Amino acid sequence: MKRVILSMIAISALVFTSCSSDDEPVNSVKAPATYKFERNNESSVSFSGQTTRIKMATELITALKNTAKTEADLDKMFAHAEGDADFTDATLNASGKNVRSKTAASTDFFSANTTEANAIKAQFDAWIKEQVDDVFPNWDVDAVAGTAGKLQQNGGGSIRYINGKGVELNQIFAKSLIGGLMVDQMLNNYLGTAVLDAGSNITNNDNDVVEEGKSYTTMEHKWDEAYGYLYGNEANPAEPVLEADKFLNEYLAKVNGDDDFAGIADDIYNAFKLGRAAIVAKNYDVRNEQAEIIREKISNVIAIRGVYYLQQGKNLWVTDRAAAFHAISEGLGFIYSLQFTRKNNATEAYFTKTEVEGLLEDLLGTGNGLWEDTTPATLDTVSETIAAKFNFTVTEAGS
């Protein structure tokens, strides 16, 4: 059941205060200064589920380096069941939400492709299993080609715990989750018309019919949930400062900090604000235009960081093999995430799952992976392959 909120003041995106006098409305829709939206003096923004999953994922990534954890422990953190004591945060334990069920689970990409979705989930499961079965038992063993263990960076630097191919499984897991959870749910689920316009969403939004007991329409809420996968762990999500988590939020900050891509964070934030204002104004053309901007920019973040880490690995190849393996492991995760990106004004990713698997095979080969099969030339070739599908160069991304 739903009810109609009758506001004493007509809600219009035109009355929002802009962040500067230079801002011009787009097709009669003007964004507010911050991501703050209200109905009857009550916030109409909600994305608590996204915040919960970000926090669950954060604890899981930390646990992947805790040798006291069993495979069952980590599996339960990934596929948490309500009430189970899987986390240190009691509120997470009490939640009925989990990370695994929303991984590779978007409506646009996976509702009709459950076989591929299940294969992707199984890959995350396999990384957990390998970490426990192969890396944890060799935690104090010096790693060599074909044997998992530890490898220390130069000068008494960080110790990296790698599998027999030289890959840090916790890193590839974490960076792949950025794509499989945050990017897929944002770009291919909540920002898609199949979700935003499902059922009676347009009619209800047009008439300000809100969800029962809530202050938001379903369409408003779906847009907010997309927003939450990027900004949900911010201290003040209405005015994000970035680096608030170790997932998409952090890496948007890193890309934005590169002079070649400065301003991308503002572009994404402004598109989210204007798109939400367009929903309030019932202007779905503007909403859809902003969704396309977000898809393009977020997809670029994934590709840029993938190339960046491959290039960092190449630069460290001769001088510090442990640091090189660490960087490439992060790059592998961003490459895996490419299959969840979304081409502008299209219904497919920049790279298919098959193409992603081909890139990973190019890098890891069929033998001892980073130890023997990977070369600086291979890192360059894969970097060029990725950059060629985007509007940036390897030099820009790799600096």
Side-chain angles (χ1 to χ4, degrees):
M1 296 294 295
K2 297 184 177 180
R3 60 188 175 88
V4 180
I5 294 291
L6 299 176
S7 176
M8 297 300 293
I9 301 175
I11 299 174
S12 169
L14 292 173
V15 303
F16 286 125
T17 302
S18 172
C19 58
S20 78
S21 59
D22 295 328
D23 287 343
E24 294 296 332
V26 178
N27 291 353
S28 299
V29 179
K30 193 172 185 179
T34 66
Y35 199 87
K36 181 179 180 181
F37 298 88
E38 296 182 340
R39 178 174 278 104
N40 292 342
N41 297 318
E42 180 182 357
S43 175
S44 63
V45 177
S46 176
F47 43 76
S48 60
Q50 286 61 47
T51 302
T52 293
R53 288 189 177 91
I54 290 171
K55 292 181 180 298
M56 286 178 170
T58 299
E59 284 210 29
L60 173 57
I61 299 307
T62 298
L64 283 170
K65 292 185 69 176
N66 182 351
T67 58
K69 295 291 185 182
T70 66
E71 182 184 352
D73 292 335
L74 297 171
D75 285 345
K76 288 180 66 180
M77 295 180 77
F78 190 34
H80 171 70
E82 183 176 355
D84 286 352
D86 300 322
F87 303 99
T88 60
D89 185 337
T91 61
L92 300 183
N93 292 331
S95 174
K97 304 184 185 304
N98 67 57
V99 173
R100 191 180 191 277
S101 66
K102 291 295 184 179
T103 300
S106 64
T107 297
D108 287 353
F109 277 13
F110 298 107
S111 63
N113 194 0
T114 56
T115 298
E116 191 164 287
N118 289 336
I120 291 168
K121 288 180 172 67
Q123 177 62 76
F124 283 93
D125 295 336
W127 284 325
I128 289 174
K129 179 175 176 58
E130 187 179 2
Q131 182 78 347
V132 173
D133 289 352
D134 297 345
V135 180
F136 280 2
N138 286 2
W139 207 250
D140 296 319
V141 175
D142 290 332
V144 295
T147 301
K150 60 184 175 69
L151 195 65
Q152 189 168 25
Q153 293 181 198
N154 287 353
S158 297
I159 297 176
R160 304 302 176 184
Y161 299 93
I162 56 181
N163 69 3
K165 288 180 175 288
V167 177
E168 278 186 281
L169 295 172
N170 57 302
Q171 289 297 334
I172 193 172
F173 188 105
K175 276 53 180 184
S176 296
L177 196 60
I178 292 174
L181 176 64
M182 289 80 180
V183 173
D184 185 48
Q185 284 293 300
M186 181 191 298
L187 306 191
N188 309 316
N189 197 62
Y190 291 120
L191 295 183
T193 54
V195 171
L196 289 171
D197 297 344
S200 58
N201 287 0
I202 294 177
T203 299
N204 289 339
N205 194 71
D206 285 345
N207 293 285
D208 290 322
V209 179
V210 300
E211 294 188 4
E212 185 174 3
K214 305 297 183 181
S215 61
Y216 47 74
T217 69
T218 298
M219 188 187 296
E220 290 170 342
H221 184 48
K222 297 307 180 185
W223 188 273
D224 292 342
E225 289 183 293
Y227 185 86
Y229 272 117
L230 178 53
Y231 305 112
N233 206 46
E234 292 273 356
N236 179 9
E239 300 181 61
V241 297
L242 301 183
E243 298 196 79
D245 63 45
K246 295 296 183 181
F247 299 103
L248 187 56
N249 185 284
E250 175 179 350
Y251 291 97
L252 173 57
K254 290 185 182 300
V255 171
N256 192 67
D258 183 332
D259 289 343
D260 292 308
F261 308 105
I264 190 172
D266 284 342
D267 291 342
I268 293 169
Y269 179 54
N270 289 336
F272 265 117
K273 289 189 299 176
L274 184 56
R276 183 57 157 80
I279 292 174
V280 176
K282 287 72 172 168
N283 189 326
Y284 306 123
D285 287 339
V286 172
R287 180 202 70 180
N288 294 342
E289 289 166 3
Q290 303 317 301
E292 289 301 326
I293 291 171
I294 295 165
R295 283 179 175 136
E296 179 184 4
K297 301 294 184 180
I298 292 294
S299 295
N300 270 269
V301 169
I302 298 302
I304 290 164
R305 290 312 286 185
V307 171
Y308 171 83
Y309 282 119
L310 296 188
Q311 291 300 300
Q312 291 301 301
K314 186 190 77 169
N315 295 339
L316 293 162
W317 193 255
V318 174
T319 59
D320 192 339
R321 193 57 62 92
F325 285 2
H326 172 65
I328 297 170
S329 295
E330 294 189 86
L332 294 174
F334 279 104
I335 291 171
Y336 195 81
S337 287
L338 287 171
Q339 65 191 295
F340 308 104
T341 58
R342 182 75 167 263
K343 289 182 181 178
N344 196 27
N345 293 311
T347 58
E348 67 266 6
Y350 281 88
F351 287 85
T352 66
K353 183 174 184 291
T354 299
E355 289 172 328
V356 162
E357 289 170 346
L359 293 177
L360 295 176
E361 185 175 342
D362 289 343
L363 288 167
L364 295 174
T366 57
N368 290 324
L370 303 184
W371 287 104
E372 297 169 355
D373 297 324
T374 305
T375 67
T378 307
L379 295 170
D380 274 340
T381 298
V382 173
S383 295
E384 292 286 357
T385 299
I386 295 170
K389 290 199 178 186
F390 294 85
N391 190 29
F392 65 82
T393 67
V394 171
T395 299
E396 288 171 333
S399 60

